[in-house]
Amino acid sequence: MPSQPDLPEPAHPNIDSMLTRKFGKEVTNYFAGSPLNRVSFLRTDYGFLSAAFKHPTTSFLLLNNLAPLAHSPSKLSYASLKDVSSLIGEDPYNKSEEELIQSYNSKVTIPQLVFLGLDETKKSGFEWTIYKGAPYFALDVTPKGTLEDTAKSLIEQKESEDLKFLEGRTHMSLPAHEAAIYAPARALVDWNGRNPFCAQCGQPTLSINAGWKRTCPPTDMSSVKAAIGGTTDSKPTERLPCATRKGVHNVCFPRTDPTVIMAVLSADCSKILLGRGKRFPPLWYSTLAGFVEPAESVEEAVRREVWEESGITLGRVVIHSTQPWPYPANLMIGAIAQAVPGGEEILLKHDPELADAKWVSFDEVREALEIGTSGLGEGPGERYKEGGLRLPPKTAIAHQLLQAVVGGLVGGETKI
């Protein structure tokens, strides 16, 4: 079993505060705790983006079919501007956003570039007014469209340097700070790739706002034939009308799907409810989870999902912590809930999503958290006892919820 990385430190962990004294230390889950300041208000400042893009301290995280470039499963590799200029050009921000929209050509493939933020721990180097730090970008190098050959050459070059693009659905062996950089990179590149067409009118869209929004341009240069000498007086084609070009909300924003995940206690707080999905290995269990539906509170979603999947009726629900989950764009909202007296009978007939659900003692969960954790496709650790309960690794929020419960939360020693 690969070693499990440490979790990120919460913000300002050593500062005493009334909230910390009342609710306990903040829990920061894996994929959170980014070292980058996103400075989201500068994504429309193309002077800033241009300067950040061209600075020698800038790092580019390359993704090929969403697989990140890396030295190993525990260390990402970052490219320089010199590495990627053949694909992206010397300065994709030399035009304003308005000019880019006006010159939009649906037949020309534009490499997907996403500004991730500034690493403010690296003070020497890039500065923009009062903001300092090393810039980070994500770049999609998946071979496609008019850039297919150029992208293939770039991929071959990086792989010849003894680097590789990490395949697989999840990458949970990266150090916490790198996982928190990879998470938005994957989520934004994936979202842009999934939304090449306007949801309103079906026409191709253009990535703007440094990769964080998409717009439906009013014109298209694809029908304009360049005259001799490379210039033309022809006007671009007016595209079909689209409702997204009217009113205030005239762009498409990245999607985030809220998902609840909960550690469920019995009415007397002596047992914990665990479920085993139909694709889980034998003996591998986890907490229950499900999507929040429209016009539903988090607490209502917790109660509904638990009842639908297990038949258990819940009373009190308390939110514990959250975890961004970039597969593809979830926000896991971790909760701890308690069954009501008389509502603890397990019934899997409502929504047959689970292969099994059962009540487990605190002691069995404690032991499994210590010696029986692993990822879904991994074997347990050396101390694992054959036939024992298996649980998710500490990089999963399910692990942290279970750890909070058996670590003293129910007895009052540990606070949320």
Side-chain angles (χ1 to χ4, degrees):
M1 182 187 72
S3 61
Q4 299 176 23
D6 292 332
L7 296 184
E9 279 286 337
H12 312 297
N14 299 319
I15 296 180
D16 180 50
S17 72
M18 176 274 293
L19 291 176
T20 299
R21 292 193 298 272
K22 184 173 180 62
F23 297 106
K25 183 179 178 181
E26 180 179 331
V27 176
T28 303
N29 288 293
Y30 196 72
F31 290 128
S34 175
L36 305 184
N37 182 345
R38 298 190 180 196
V39 287
S40 60
F41 47 87
L42 293 176
R43 292 174 188 156
T44 56
D45 187 335
Y46 273 47
F48 162 77
L49 293 172
S50 177
F53 176 84
K54 294 183 290 186
H55 199 269
T57 63
T58 298
S59 298
F60 296 86
L61 179 57
L62 310 186
L63 294 98
N64 178 20
N65 285 315
L66 301 178
L69 185 66
H71 295 277
S72 69
S74 60
K75 185 179 181 181
L76 295 175
S77 176
Y78 298 95
S80 66
L81 176 57
K82 182 180 178 181
D83 295 326
V84 302
S85 59
S86 61
L87 182 68
I88 196 69
E90 295 298 330
D91 186 5
Y93 300 112
N94 60 356
K95 293 182 179 180
S96 68
E97 197 164 274
E98 182 179 345
E99 290 173 323
L100 287 174
I101 294 173
Q102 290 175 348
S103 62
Y104 173 69
N105 187 334
S106 61
K107 290 185 178 180
V108 175
T109 304
I110 301 176
Q112 185 58 59
L113 186 64
V114 180
F115 173 66
L116 299 176
L118 300 175
D119 185 348
E120 294 179 319
T121 64
K122 301 175 181 178
K123 297 295 185 182
S124 60
F126 180 72
E127 295 185 20
W128 185 262
T129 62
I130 63 173
Y131 311 105
K132 300 178 182 180
Y136 279 73
F137 288 83
L139 177 62
D140 185 9
V141 299
T142 307
K144 54 189 170 184
T146 56
L147 293 172
E148 182 174 358
D149 291 341
T150 307
K152 285 181 178 179
S153 296
L154 175 57
I155 291 170
E156 291 171 359
Q157 174 59 40
K158 300 313 285 182
E159 290 179 335
S160 72
E161 299 171 7
D162 200 25
L163 302 172
K164 57 184 177 181
F165 290 90
L166 297 179
E167 302 291 344
R169 182 176 177 272
T170 58
H171 302 290
M172 301 182 74
S173 57
L174 294 169
H177 71 282
E178 289 204 327
I181 292 174
Y182 162 70
R186 187 196 192 281
L188 269 295
V189 168
D190 189 21
W191 170 74
N192 276 281
R194 288 172 183 261
N195 293 272
F197 300 103
C198 178
Q200 175 67 34
C201 68
Q203 298 175 100
T205 55
L206 172 68
S207 178
I208 58 172
N209 201 243
W212 291 79
K213 296 179 185 178
R214 297 190 71 87
T215 189
C216 185
T219 59
D220 190 343
M221 297 288 291
S222 62
S223 62
V224 175
K225 295 182 179 180
I228 297 175
T231 61
T232 178
D233 294 325
S234 301
K235 294 182 178 180
T237 302
E238 292 287 334
R239 303 215 299 176
L240 295 173
C242 180
T244 65
R245 303 188 201 119
K246 300 177 181 180
V248 177
H249 301 291
N250 56 356
V251 293
C252 178
F253 291 85
R255 174 174 173 170
T256 297
D257 300 322
T259 306
V260 289
I261 181 167
M262 40 276 174
V264 175
L265 304 171
S266 58
D268 64 359
C269 295
S270 66
K271 298 182 291 293
I272 303 171
L273 179 68
L274 297 177
R276 187 169 70 82
K278 294 181 178 180
R279 294 184 295 175
F280 289 2
L283 305 175
W284 204 97
Y285 284 76
S286 185
T287 55
L288 274 57
F291 289 103
V292 180
E293 295 190 340
E296 182 177 50
S297 72
V298 169
E299 292 83 357
E300 288 173 315
V302 168
R303 296 187 184 99
R304 174 184 57 78
E305 283 288 343
V306 169
W307 180 82
E308 288 179 353
E309 293 185 9
S310 70
I312 305 299
T313 301
L314 298 183
R316 184 75 166 96
V317 176
V318 177
I319 295 173
H320 173 270
S321 62
T322 60
Q323 179 180 35
W325 190 253
Y327 303 103
N330 300 105
L331 177 62
M332 308 294 289
I333 305 170
I336 296 172
Q338 187 175 3
V340 300
E344 298 168 297
E345 182 181 356
I346 293 174
L347 181 66
L348 303 181
K349 294 181 179 179
H350 301 310
D351 182 356
E353 184 174 327
L354 297 177
D356 185 34
K358 62 180 181 179
W359 291 105
V360 182
S361 70
F362 277 34
D363 286 342
E364 188 175 357
V365 171
R366 284 193 188 96
E367 183 179 32
L369 288 172
E370 186 177 346
I371 66 173
T373 65
S374 69
L376 272 175
E378 302 165 352
E382 295 179 358
R383 298 171 58 201
Y384 174 72
K385 301 175 183 177
E386 194 64 35
L389 176 67
R390 297 180 60 188
L391 294 173
K394 66 180 179 180
T395 47
I397 189 174
H399 182 113
Q400 300 307 315
L401 294 173
L402 294 172
Q403 189 66 61
V405 171
V406 302
L409 181 145
V410 176
E413 298 172 9
T414 301
K415 302 173 183 178
I416 294 180

